Amino acid sequence: DTAVSQTPKYLVTQMGNDKSIKCEQNLGHDTMYWYKQDSKKFLKIMFSYNNKELIINETVPNRFSPKSPDKAHLNLHINSLELGDSAVYFCASSQPGTVNSPLHFGNGTRLTVT
Amino acid sequence: AQKVTQAQTEISVVEKEDVTLDCVYETRDTTYYLFWYKQPPSGELVFLIRRNSFDEQNEISGRYSWNFQKSTSSFNFTITASQVVDSAVYFCALSEGETGANNLFFGTGTRLTVIP
Protein backbone atom coordinates (compact mmCIF):
# COMPACT_ATOMS: atom_id res chain seq x y z
CA ASP A 1 0.00 0.00 0.00
CA THR A 2 3.02 2.29 0.54
CA ALA A 3 3.31 4.88 -2.21
CA VAL A 4 7.09 5.39 -2.21
CA SER A 5 9.12 2.76 -0.43
CA GLN A 6 12.84 2.69 0.04
CA THR A 7 15.06 0.07 1.58
CA PRO A 8 16.87 -0.26 3.82
CA LYS A 9 15.63 2.16 6.46
CA TYR A 10 19.00 2.13 8.22
CA LEU A 11 22.38 1.38 6.74
CA VAL A 12 25.57 1.30 8.77
CA THR A 13 28.77 0.57 6.92
CA GLN A 14 32.47 1.24 6.94
CA MET A 15 34.43 3.68 4.87
CA GLY A 16 35.45 2.37 1.51
CA ASN A 17 32.51 0.01 1.12
CA ASP A 18 30.01 0.07 -1.74
CA LYS A 19 26.31 0.11 -0.91
CA SER A 20 22.96 0.49 -2.63
CA ILE A 21 19.64 1.97 -1.61
CA LYS A 22 16.53 0.85 -3.44
CA CYS A 23 13.43 2.87 -4.18
CA GLU A 24 10.11 1.87 -5.68
CA GLN A 25 6.93 3.85 -6.24
CA ASN A 26 3.50 2.47 -7.04
CA LEU A 27 1.89 5.79 -7.91
CA GLY A 28 2.44 5.51 -11.64
CA HIS A 29 4.54 8.65 -11.61
CA ASP A 30 6.96 9.39 -14.43
CA THR A 31 9.56 11.24 -12.41
CA MET A 32 11.66 10.06 -9.49
CA TYR A 33 14.26 11.80 -7.39
CA TRP A 34 16.97 11.35 -4.83
CA TYR A 35 17.40 13.98 -2.15
CA LYS A 36 20.04 14.14 0.54
CA GLN A 37 19.37 15.54 3.99
CA ASP A 38 22.51 16.39 5.93
CA SER A 39 23.02 16.53 9.68
CA LYS A 40 21.71 20.10 9.77
CA LYS A 41 18.47 18.94 8.14
CA PHE A 42 19.27 20.68 4.88
CA LEU A 43 17.53 18.96 1.95
CA LYS A 44 19.10 19.08 -1.48
CA ILE A 45 18.31 17.33 -4.71
CA MET A 46 20.87 14.92 -6.06
CA PHE A 47 19.24 13.36 -9.12
CA SER A 48 16.02 13.38 -11.03
CA TYR A 49 14.87 10.80 -13.58
CA ASN A 50 11.95 11.12 -15.93
CA ASN A 51 10.81 7.88 -17.58
CA LYS A 52 14.16 6.27 -16.84
CA GLU A 53 16.14 9.20 -18.26
CA LEU A 54 18.38 11.39 -16.18
CA ILE A 55 17.14 14.99 -16.22
CA ILE A 56 18.80 16.53 -13.19
CA ASN A 57 22.25 15.72 -11.93
CA GLU A 58 23.38 18.18 -9.34
CA THR A 59 26.96 18.50 -8.22
CA VAL A 60 27.33 15.07 -6.71
CA PRO A 61 30.55 13.02 -6.60
CA ASN A 62 30.62 10.42 -9.33
CA ARG A 63 30.84 7.79 -6.60
CA PHE A 64 27.06 8.19 -6.57
CA SER A 65 25.37 6.45 -9.46
CA PRO A 66 21.61 6.30 -9.85
CA LYS A 67 20.04 3.51 -11.84
CA SER A 68 16.48 3.41 -13.12
CA PRO A 69 15.58 -0.02 -14.52
CA ASP A 70 12.03 1.15 -15.12
CA LYS A 71 10.00 4.22 -14.27
CA ALA A 72 8.80 2.72 -11.00
CA HIS A 73 12.30 2.18 -9.63
CA LEU A 74 15.24 4.44 -8.95
CA ASN A 75 18.12 2.90 -7.07
CA LEU A 76 21.14 4.71 -5.70
CA HIS A 77 24.52 3.04 -5.67
CA ILE A 78 27.38 4.56 -3.74
CA ASN A 79 30.98 3.49 -4.24
CA SER A 80 33.89 3.96 -1.86
CA LEU A 81 31.79 5.40 0.93
CA GLU A 82 33.22 8.31 2.88
CA LEU A 83 32.41 9.68 6.32
CA GLY A 84 30.83 12.74 4.72
CA ASP A 85 28.28 10.55 2.97
CA SER A 86 26.54 9.99 6.29
CA ALA A 87 23.10 11.50 5.87
CA VAL A 88 19.47 10.62 5.33
CA TYR A 89 18.66 9.88 1.71
CA PHE A 90 15.10 10.40 0.51
CA CYS A 91 13.59 9.01 -2.61
CA ALA A 92 10.60 10.84 -4.08
CA SER A 93 8.31 10.73 -7.07
CA SER A 94 5.97 13.12 -8.81
CA GLN A 95 3.87 13.55 -11.91
CA PRO A 96 4.93 16.95 -13.27
CA GLY A 97 2.31 18.78 -15.21
CA THR A 98 -0.50 17.32 -13.18
CA VAL A 99 -2.43 19.80 -11.12
CA ASN A 100 -1.80 19.35 -7.43
CA SER A 101 1.01 16.84 -7.86
CA PRO A 102 3.55 17.42 -5.13
CA LEU A 103 6.59 15.30 -4.48
CA HIS A 104 5.75 12.15 -2.58
CA PHE A 105 8.67 11.15 -0.40
CA GLY A 106 9.74 7.80 0.91
CA ASN A 107 10.51 7.47 4.59
CA GLY A 108 14.22 7.94 4.12
CA THR A 109 17.32 5.80 4.52
CA ARG A 110 19.67 6.82 7.29
CA LEU A 111 23.18 6.04 6.12
CA THR A 112 25.95 6.02 8.70
CA VAL A 113 29.51 5.60 7.53
CA THR A 114 32.01 4.68 10.23
CA ALA B 1 21.73 32.82 -3.72
CA GLN B 2 19.34 31.12 -1.36
CA LYS B 3 16.06 30.62 -3.11
CA VAL B 4 14.08 29.90 0.01
CA THR B 5 14.80 31.51 3.35
CA GLN B 6 13.34 30.37 6.62
CA ALA B 7 14.88 32.80 9.05
CA GLN B 8 13.49 31.13 12.15
CA THR B 9 15.69 28.21 13.01
CA GLU B 10 13.80 27.13 16.10
CA ILE B 11 10.56 28.21 17.72
CA SER B 12 9.06 27.07 21.00
CA VAL B 13 5.49 27.75 21.96
CA VAL B 14 3.22 26.59 24.72
CA GLU B 15 0.35 24.37 23.72
CA LYS B 16 -2.72 26.23 22.42
CA GLU B 17 -0.69 29.25 21.35
CA ASP B 18 -0.77 30.32 17.72
CA VAL B 19 2.50 30.28 15.81
CA THR B 20 3.56 31.58 12.41
CA LEU B 21 6.44 30.12 10.45
CA ASP B 22 7.98 32.51 7.98
CA CYS B 23 9.09 31.71 4.46
CA VAL B 24 10.60 34.13 1.97
CA TYR B 25 11.46 33.00 -1.53
CA GLU B 26 13.37 34.34 -4.47
CA THR B 27 12.75 33.56 -8.14
CA ARG B 28 12.80 35.25 -11.52
CA ASP B 29 10.21 32.90 -12.97
CA THR B 30 6.66 34.15 -13.30
CA THR B 31 5.35 30.61 -12.90
CA TYR B 32 6.41 28.79 -9.81
CA TYR B 33 5.06 26.67 -7.00
CA LEU B 34 5.48 26.90 -3.27
CA PHE B 35 5.20 24.05 -0.83
CA TRP B 36 5.25 23.30 2.85
CA TYR B 37 6.38 19.96 4.20
CA LYS B 38 6.39 18.66 7.76
CA GLN B 39 9.06 16.36 9.12
CA PRO B 40 8.00 14.92 12.47
CA PRO B 41 10.53 13.27 14.82
CA SER B 42 9.90 9.95 13.07
CA GLY B 43 11.69 11.42 10.06
CA GLU B 44 9.30 11.12 7.14
CA LEU B 45 8.45 14.12 4.97
CA VAL B 46 4.76 14.91 4.91
CA PHE B 47 3.29 17.12 2.21
CA LEU B 48 1.09 19.89 3.60
CA ILE B 49 0.31 22.30 0.79
CA ARG B 50 1.17 23.31 -2.77
CA ARG B 51 0.37 26.76 -4.12
CA ASN B 52 1.03 28.14 -7.61
CA SER B 53 2.23 31.65 -8.28
CA PHE B 54 -1.06 32.72 -9.82
CA ASP B 55 -3.15 31.89 -6.83
CA GLU B 56 -2.67 34.32 -4.00
CA GLN B 57 -5.77 33.29 -2.17
CA ASN B 58 -5.06 32.37 1.39
CA GLU B 59 -5.85 28.84 2.38
CA ILE B 60 -7.13 27.35 5.58
CA SER B 61 -7.15 23.68 6.46
CA GLY B 62 -8.32 23.01 9.98
CA ARG B 63 -5.82 24.63 12.33
CA TYR B 64 -3.41 25.33 9.48
CA SER B 65 -3.48 28.42 7.32
CA TRP B 66 -1.17 29.84 4.71
CA ASN B 67 -0.65 33.44 3.69
CA PHE B 68 0.85 33.90 0.22
CA GLN B 69 1.93 37.44 -0.65
CA LYS B 70 3.74 37.97 -3.93
CA SER B 71 4.43 41.60 -3.07
CA THR B 72 6.73 40.49 -0.28
CA SER B 73 7.69 37.11 -1.79
CA SER B 74 6.44 35.37 1.30
CA PHE B 75 4.48 32.22 1.96
CA ASN B 76 3.93 32.07 5.69
CA PHE B 77 2.36 29.23 7.59
CA THR B 78 0.27 29.66 10.73
CA ILE B 79 -0.77 26.97 13.15
CA THR B 80 -3.66 27.98 15.36
CA ALA B 81 -4.08 26.51 18.84
CA SER B 82 -0.89 24.50 18.54
CA GLN B 83 -0.72 20.96 19.87
CA VAL B 84 2.17 18.78 20.96
CA VAL B 85 1.73 16.69 17.80
CA ASP B 86 2.63 19.76 15.78
CA SER B 87 6.20 19.51 17.05
CA ALA B 88 8.30 18.91 13.95
CA VAL B 89 10.63 20.53 11.49
CA TYR B 90 8.72 22.44 8.83
CA PHE B 91 10.18 23.06 5.41
CA CYS B 92 9.14 25.61 2.86
CA ALA B 93 10.11 24.80 -0.72
CA LEU B 94 10.02 26.36 -4.17
CA SER B 95 9.74 24.78 -7.58
CA GLU B 96 10.28 26.95 -10.64
CA GLY B 97 8.70 26.56 -14.04
CA GLU B 98 5.40 25.30 -15.29
CA THR B 99 5.60 21.65 -14.41
CA GLY B 100 5.28 22.42 -10.78
CA ALA B 101 7.15 19.66 -9.02
CA ASN B 102 10.59 19.30 -10.51
CA ASN B 103 13.58 20.08 -8.39
CA LEU B 104 12.30 21.50 -5.16
CA PHE B 105 14.56 24.05 -3.51
CA PHE B 106 14.08 23.65 0.20
CA GLY B 107 14.57 26.18 2.93
CA THR B 108 16.66 25.19 5.90
CA GLY B 109 13.62 24.37 7.97
CA THR B 110 12.11 25.67 11.18
CA ARG B 111 12.04 23.37 14.17
CA LEU B 112 8.83 23.89 16.09
CA THR B 113 8.55 22.62 19.62
CA VAL B 114 5.16 22.74 21.28
CA ILE B 115 5.45 22.52 25.04
CA PRO B 116 2.57 20.87 26.88
Side-chain angles (χ1 to χ4, degrees):
Chain A
D1 205 26
T2 306
V4 181
S5 59
Q6 48 183 114
T7 54
K9 187 172 173 65
Y10 299 98
L11 185 53
V12 181
T13 188
Q14 290 184 325
M15 280 176 56
N17 285 347
D18 303 339
K19 289 293 178 187
S20 292
I21 306 172
K22 295 186 176 181
C23 180
E24 175 181 4
Q25 54 97 2
N26 62 7
L27 297 166
H29 289 165
D30 287 336
T31 306
M32 295 185 72
Y33 311 79
W34 279 107
Y35 277 79
K36 179 180 179 180
Q37 186 173 43
D38 63 23
S39 58
K40 296 184 179 177
K41 292 285 192 180
F42 184 57
L43 271 158
K44 191 172 180 349
I45 192 167
M46 299 173 69
F47 302 103
S48 169
Y49 269 72
N50 187 58
N51 269 322
K52 304 193 299 174
E53 285 191 29
L54 181 66
I55 56 173
I56 292 175
N57 182 0
E58 291 295 305
T59 307
V60 174
N62 57 15
R63 298 181 295 102
F64 289 79
S65 53
K67 291 231 172 7
S68 183
D70 55 60
K71 74 173 195 179
H73 295 84
L74 181 62
N75 303 323
L76 183 65
H77 188 76
I78 315 169
N79 288 329
S80 302
L81 279 155
E82 300 178 357
L83 292 176
D85 298 332
S86 296
V88 180
Y89 293 85
F90 285 96
C91 177
S93 73
S94 72
Q95 191 65 13
T98 303
V99 174
N100 292 326
S101 176
L103 259 65
H104 294 263
F105 285 89
N107 286 339
T109 296
R110 182 175 294 278
L111 171 65
T112 303
V113 182
T114 61
Chain B
Q2 185 80 2
K3 286 183 180 282
V4 178
T5 301
Q6 294 178 255
Q8 305 150 307
T9 307
E10 295 192 28
I11 301 177
S12 291
V13 297
V14 177
E15 202 171 18
K16 297 185 183 173
E17 286 184 348
D18 299 348
V19 59
T20 295
L21 309 182
D22 297 334
C23 174
V24 174
Y25 63 91
E26 181 183 330
T27 181
R28 292 182 180 175
D29 283 16
T30 54
T31 303
Y32 53 89
Y33 293 79
L34 295 162
F35 301 77
W36 276 95
Y37 280 84
K38 173 182 180 180
Q39 188 173 39
S42 49
E44 70 271 27
L45 283 160
V46 179
F47 167 74
L48 296 178
I49 190 171
R50 176 194 200 248
R51 177 51 53 87
N52 74 54
S53 51
F54 300 106
D55 181 5
E56 279 192 82
Q57 207 169 14
N58 290 334
E59 180 150 344
I60 298 174
S61 176
R63 295 184 298 105
Y64 294 172
S65 62
W66 290 269
N67 185 337
F68 176 28
Q69 293 201 343
K70 287 175 80 167
S71 59
T72 54
S73 296
S74 65
F75 187 42
N76 296 338
F77 172 30
T78 298
I79 301 174
T80 304
S82 59
Q83 299 175 2
V84 173
V85 293
D86 296 327
S87 296
V89 180
Y90 291 87
F91 292 95
C92 181
L94 165 75
S95 177
E96 296 168 315
E98 294 183 355
T99 53
N102 284 333
N103 194 7
L104 287 185
F105 294 96
F106 282 86
T108 48
T110 296
R111 181 181 298 277
L112 173 66
T113 302
V114 181
I115 304 163

Short mmCIF file of all heavy atoms in Angstrom, two decimals, chain A residues 77-102:
data_model
loop_
_atom_site.label_atom_id
_atom_site.label_comp_id
_atom_site.label_asym_id
_atom_site.label_seq_id
_atom_site.Cartn_x
_atom_site.Cartn_y
_atom_site.Cartn_z
N HIS A 77 23.35 3.81 -6.03
CA HIS A 77 24.52 3.04 -5.67
C HIS A 77 25.64 4.00 -5.29
O HIS A 77 25.85 5.01 -5.98
CB HIS A 77 24.95 2.15 -6.85
CG HIS A 77 26.02 1.20 -6.47
ND1 HIS A 77 25.78 0.06 -5.73
CD2 HIS A 77 27.36 1.22 -6.70
CE1 HIS A 77 26.92 -0.59 -5.53
NE2 HIS A 77 27.88 0.10 -6.12
N ILE A 78 26.31 3.69 -4.20
CA ILE A 78 27.38 4.56 -3.74
C ILE A 78 28.66 3.74 -3.60
O ILE A 78 28.68 2.73 -2.88
CB ILE A 78 27.06 5.22 -2.38
CG1 ILE A 78 25.62 5.75 -2.36
CG2 ILE A 78 28.04 6.35 -2.09
CD1 ILE A 78 25.13 6.17 -0.98
N ASN A 79 29.69 4.17 -4.31
CA ASN A 79 30.98 3.49 -4.24
C ASN A 79 31.90 4.18 -3.25
O ASN A 79 31.79 5.38 -3.00
CB ASN A 79 31.66 3.52 -5.61
CG ASN A 79 30.99 2.61 -6.61
OD1 ASN A 79 30.44 1.57 -6.25
ND2 ASN A 79 31.02 3.01 -7.87
N SER A 80 32.82 3.41 -2.70
CA SER A 80 33.89 3.96 -1.86
C SER A 80 33.36 4.98 -0.86
O SER A 80 33.75 6.14 -0.83
CB SER A 80 34.95 4.64 -2.75
OG SER A 80 35.45 3.73 -3.68
N LEU A 81 32.47 4.51 -0.02
CA LEU A 81 31.79 5.40 0.93
C LEU A 81 32.77 6.17 1.80
O LEU A 81 33.81 5.65 2.22
CB LEU A 81 30.83 4.59 1.79
CG LEU A 81 29.49 4.32 1.10
CD1 LEU A 81 28.83 3.09 1.65
CD2 LEU A 81 28.59 5.54 1.24
N GLU A 82 32.41 7.43 2.05
CA GLU A 82 33.22 8.31 2.88
C GLU A 82 32.39 8.77 4.08
O GLU A 82 31.16 8.71 4.05
CB GLU A 82 33.67 9.53 2.07
CG GLU A 82 34.51 9.18 0.86
CD GLU A 82 34.89 10.40 0.04
OE1 GLU A 82 34.46 11.53 0.38
OE2 GLU A 82 35.64 10.22 -0.95
N LEU A 83 33.11 9.23 5.11
CA LEU A 83 32.41 9.68 6.32
C LEU A 83 31.37 10.76 5.99
O LEU A 83 30.28 10.77 6.56
CB LEU A 83 33.41 10.24 7.34
CG LEU A 83 34.38 9.24 7.98
CD1 LEU A 83 35.36 9.95 8.89
CD2 LEU A 83 33.60 8.17 8.75
N GLY A 84 31.72 11.63 5.07
CA GLY A 84 30.83 12.74 4.72
C GLY A 84 29.56 12.31 4.00
O GLY A 84 28.65 13.13 3.79
N ASP A 85 29.50 11.05 3.62
CA ASP A 85 28.28 10.55 2.97
C ASP A 85 27.19 10.24 3.98
O ASP A 85 26.04 9.99 3.60
CB ASP A 85 28.58 9.28 2.16
CG ASP A 85 29.58 9.53 1.04
OD1 ASP A 85 29.64 10.68 0.54
OD2 ASP A 85 30.31 8.58 0.67
N SER A 86 27.54 10.25 5.24
CA SER A 86 26.54 9.99 6.29
C SER A 86 25.45 11.05 6.21
O SER A 86 25.73 12.25 6.28
CB SER A 86 27.18 10.01 7.67
OG SER A 86 28.12 8.97 7.81
N ALA A 87 24.23 10.59 6.05
CA ALA A 87 23.10 11.50 5.87
C ALA A 87 21.83 10.64 5.79
O ALA A 87 21.89 9.42 5.83
CB ALA A 87 23.25 12.30 4.57
N VAL A 88 20.71 11.33 5.63
CA VAL A 88 19.47 10.62 5.33
C VAL A 88 19.17 10.86 3.86
O VAL A 88 19.17 12.00 3.39
CB VAL A 88 18.29 11.10 6.19
CG1 VAL A 88 17.02 10.32 5.84
CG2 VAL A 88 18.61 10.95 7.67
N TYR A 89 18.93 9.80 3.14
CA TYR A 89 18.66 9.88 1.71
C TYR A 89 17.18 9.60 1.48
O TYR A 89 16.65 8.59 1.92
CB TYR A 89 19.53 8.89 0.93
CG TYR A 89 20.99 9.27 1.00
CD1 TYR A 89 21.79 8.87 2.08
CD2 TYR A 89 21.58 10.05 0.00
CE1 TYR A 89 23.11 9.24 2.16
CE2 TYR A 89 22.91 10.42 0.08
CZ TYR A 89 23.67 10.02 1.16
OH TYR A 89 24.99 10.40 1.24
N PHE A 90 16.54 10.53 0.79
CA PHE A 90 15.10 10.40 0.51
C PHE A 90 14.89 10.19 -0.98
O PHE A 90 15.41 10.94 -1.81
CB PHE A 90 14.34 11.67 0.92
CG PHE A 90 14.14 11.81 2.40
CD1 PHE A 90 15.02 12.58 3.15
CD2 PHE A 90 13.08 11.20 3.03
CE1 PHE A 90 14.85 12.72 4.52
CE2 PHE A 90 12.89 11.34 4.40
CZ PHE A 90 13.78 12.10 5.15
N CYS A 91 14.09 9.21 -1.26
CA CYS A 91 13.59 9.01 -2.61
C CYS A 91 12.24 9.71 -2.71
O CYS A 91 11.51 9.82 -1.72
CB CYS A 91 13.44 7.51 -2.85
SG CYS A 91 12.76 7.08 -4.45
N ALA A 92 11.89 10.19 -3.89
CA ALA A 92 10.60 10.84 -4.08
C ALA A 92 10.13 10.60 -5.51
O ALA A 92 10.91 10.23 -6.39
CB ALA A 92 10.69 12.33 -3.80
N SER A 93 8.84 10.81 -5.71
CA SER A 93 8.31 10.73 -7.07
C SER A 93 7.26 11.81 -7.26
O SER A 93 6.71 12.34 -6.29
CB SER A 93 7.69 9.35 -7.35
OG SER A 93 6.46 9.20 -6.66
N SER A 94 7.01 12.15 -8.51
CA SER A 94 5.97 13.12 -8.81
C SER A 94 5.50 12.93 -10.25
O SER A 94 6.11 12.20 -11.03
CB SER A 94 6.48 14.55 -8.64
OG SER A 94 7.37 14.88 -9.69
N GLN A 95 4.39 13.57 -10.56
CA GLN A 95 3.87 13.55 -11.91
C GLN A 95 3.81 14.99 -12.39
O GLN A 95 2.76 15.63 -12.32
CB GLN A 95 2.47 12.91 -11.92
CG GLN A 95 1.94 12.59 -13.30
CD GLN A 95 2.77 11.52 -14.01
OE1 GLN A 95 3.59 10.86 -13.43
NE2 GLN A 95 2.53 11.36 -15.30
N PRO A 96 4.90 15.55 -12.85
CA PRO A 96 4.93 16.95 -13.27
C PRO A 96 3.88 17.23 -14.33
O PRO A 96 3.59 16.39 -15.18
CB PRO A 96 6.33 17.12 -13.85
CG PRO A 96 7.13 16.06 -13.22
CD PRO A 96 6.20 14.91 -13.01
N GLY A 97 3.31 18.41 -14.23
CA GLY A 97 2.31 18.78 -15.21
C GLY A 97 0.91 18.47 -14.73
O GLY A 97 -0.06 18.97 -15.27
N THR A 98 0.82 17.65 -13.73
CA THR A 98 -0.50 17.32 -13.18
C THR A 98 -0.84 18.31 -12.08
O THR A 98 -0.03 18.56 -11.20
CB THR A 98 -0.50 15.90 -12.60
OG1 THR A 98 -0.11 15.00 -13.62
CG2 THR A 98 -1.87 15.52 -12.06
N VAL A 99 -2.04 18.84 -12.16
CA VAL A 99 -2.43 19.80 -11.12
C VAL A 99 -2.38 19.12 -9.76
O VAL A 99 -2.78 17.99 -9.60
CB VAL A 99 -3.87 20.30 -11.41
CG1 VAL A 99 -4.37 21.17 -10.28
CG2 VAL A 99 -3.88 21.06 -12.71
N ASN A 100 -1.88 19.85 -8.81
CA ASN A 100 -1.80 19.35 -7.43
C ASN A 100 -0.97 18.07 -7.31
O ASN A 100 -1.36 17.14 -6.61
CB ASN A 100 -3.20 19.12 -6.84
CG ASN A 100 -3.92 20.42 -6.64
OD1 ASN A 100 -3.31 21.43 -6.31
ND2 ASN A 100 -5.21 20.42 -6.85
N SER A 101 0.12 18.00 -8.01
CA SER A 101 1.01 16.84 -7.86
C SER A 101 2.28 17.25 -7.16
O SER A 101 3.22 17.73 -7.78
CB SER A 101 1.36 16.26 -9.23
OG SER A 101 2.29 15.21 -9.09
N PRO A 102 2.32 17.10 -5.85
CA PRO A 102 3.55 17.42 -5.13
C PRO A 102 4.52 16.26 -5.21
O PRO A 102 4.20 15.21 -5.77
CB PRO A 102 3.04 17.58 -3.70
CG PRO A 102 1.91 16.60 -3.62
CD PRO A 102 1.26 16.61 -4.98
#
